[in-house]
Amino acid sequence: MRNCPLHKFLRVLWTKRGMIVLLVLEQPRRFWELKKIIPDITEKMLISTLHDLEHAAYITNEKIYGKQIQSIYTITDGGKKALDIAQSMAEMGKLL
């Protein structure tokens, strides 16, 4: 079951945090921006969620090197497609 594509999709995306992060990534955002926009998530949970979404190729993490290393997170085409599917599923749920 772990290799089932549907299981992988639901495991990563069908969490409160995964959906929220994808929703706020309508534009590229830095880590601290995400933390500010999603105040009820702990730093540890945000890091874990970002890692899962990046591993699933729903987001990218671009590192910018300067005085401090900054991460800029961007939704990928695959992430946009996954979000569209999830939103369609939610719309179907309203019809039930």
Side-chain angles (χ1 to χ4, degrees), residues 17 21 24-25 27-39 41-54 59-64 68-74:
R17 296 175 309 274
V21 170
V24 299
L25 283 175
Q27 64 185 27
R29 298 198 186 268
R30 291 179 169 84
F31 179 85
W32 64 267
E33 290 176 298
L34 292 169
K35 181 70 178 111
K36 187 176 179 180
I37 293 169
I38 314 169
I41 190 170
T42 65
E43 189 169 319
K44 183 178 178 179
M45 289 308 302
L46 180 56
I47 290 168
S48 175
T49 301
L50 291 168
H51 176 75
D52 290 345
L53 291 170
E54 186 178 5
I59 65 171
T60 59
N61 176 7
E62 178 187 353
K63 302 277 190 208
I64 297 178
Q68 295 182 350
I69 298 173
Q70 296 183 24
S71 290
I72 298 182
Y73 296 93
T74 306

